Amino acid sequence: VIPGMDELEALCLKDGGAIVNGIENVDGYYNISAKEEGDFENIVYGIYEFIEYEHAKNKLGSPVAELPYGYYRDYKALKNDPNCNPHYLEEIEKYNVEPYVSFKEKYCVATVKIDSFKSKYSYESTGEEFINNKTEGYEIYRSVDKISNIKTGKLLGKYTSYLLTPYGIFKTPESYMTSQCTRINKFKYLPLKKSIDSWVFNKE
């Protein structure tokens, strides 16, 4: 018996899974949760033309490290674009598979500072330790991804998931016993085949 499974199942059945309230076609969005990180992979894969985000502190390995604080936009550009980001050039060079190989032959991911984000839609991902049962020895982590219309505040999509990690006496995670909503109650809970932004933004 894996400790915490009953509680995990109850949480998953309570509010786990995806809700889609609207479908939109967009070229990009404001990623609230991408602070200091940017998002080059979705651009390389051709899912979005741009991603906007905030830079509020210097973080080691960030594509905007040491640049002025404020809002930035990552976008697909030709290799001769003066805003091609050296950080992304290095990251993309590490991949010797498609679509990275074809992408770097002609394009780069460029970064430019903007006065404020222009996107109509936002993406936000949050996570927290939801339960820490020290008596039985397990943790349940809750994560929520949300897509919203910035101007109206309307929630277009939401995905809630839970992750159970039994840790035993010495609080060493038993990773092989880690469970999430998709592993239980298979007749009531179906796995999300693609990310919530792909559902809401009508991406294949």
Side-chain angles (χ1 to χ4, degrees):
V1 177
I2 299 176
M5 282 298 293
D6 289 344
E7 196 153 18
L8 174 68
E9 182 167 350
L11 289 170
C12 292
L13 293 176
K14 175 177 173 285
D15 66 353
I19 299 171
V20 177
N21 296 321
I23 303 293
E24 304 285 347
N25 291 310
V26 302
D27 294 325
Y29 59 87
Y30 173 54
N31 192 335
I32 297 175
S33 303
K35 288 184 178 181
E36 330 309 332
E37 300 293 342
D39 186 353
F40 73 96
E41 292 182 335
N42 278 330
I43 295 174
V44 171
Y45 273 85
I47 301 175
Y48 304 106
E49 293 297 315
F50 70 88
I51 302 292
E52 296 176 335
Y53 55 99
E54 185 181 5
H55 170 42
K57 63 180 180 180
N58 282 318
K59 184 177 179 180
L60 187 65
S62 166
V64 289
E66 308 302 329
L67 294 178
Y69 295 149
Y71 295 100
Y72 283 82
R73 172 183 283 220
D74 290 340
Y75 64 94
K76 179 181 178 180
L78 294 173
K79 287 180 67 175
N80 60 356
D81 190 303
N83 296 314
C84 286
N85 192 314
H87 174 83
Y88 292 136
L89 290 174
E90 291 182 9
E91 289 298 314
I92 293 172
E93 194 62 39
K94 296 176 182 178
Y95 297 89
N96 196 30
V97 295
E98 293 296 348
Y100 296 92
V101 174
S102 297
F103 182 89
K104 63 187 177 184
E105 288 179 357
K106 189 176 180 180
Y107 301 103
C108 75
V109 176
T111 303
V112 64
K113 191 176 186 303
I114 54 180
D115 293 333
S116 61
F117 59 85
K118 308 297 182 184
S119 300
K120 184 178 178 181
Y121 305 99
S122 67
Y123 170 85
E124 181 178 14
S125 180
T126 57
E128 62 176 336
E129 182 183 81
F130 198 66
I131 294 172
N132 184 356
N133 189 320
K134 296 180 180 179
T135 302
E136 296 185 36
Y138 67 86
E139 296 173 335
I140 294 181
Y141 186 84
R142 181 176 189 255
S143 61
V144 180
D145 298 336
K146 296 192 295 186
I147 303 290
S148 302
N149 181 308
I150 295 172
K151 186 175 181 179
T152 66
K154 179 182 178 182
L155 181 68
L156 297 175
K158 181 180 179 181
Y159 178 51
T160 303
S161 60
Y162 294 92
L163 180 69
L164 165 69
T165 303
Y167 54 71
I169 298 175
F170 301 106
K171 201 172 180 180
T172 301
E174 308 274 355
S175 59
Y176 64 92
M177 294 172 66
T178 298
S179 298
Q180 52 190 330
C181 293
T182 54
R183 291 185 60 185
I184 64 170
N185 227 324
K186 62 182 179 180
F187 297 109
K188 295 183 179 180
Y189 188 100
L190 298 176
L192 191 66
K193 297 297 185 182
K194 53 185 181 179
S195 63
I196 189 63
D197 62 301
S198 295
W199 278 104
V200 173
F201 294 149
N202 199 26
K203 301 293 182 180
E204 298 297 332

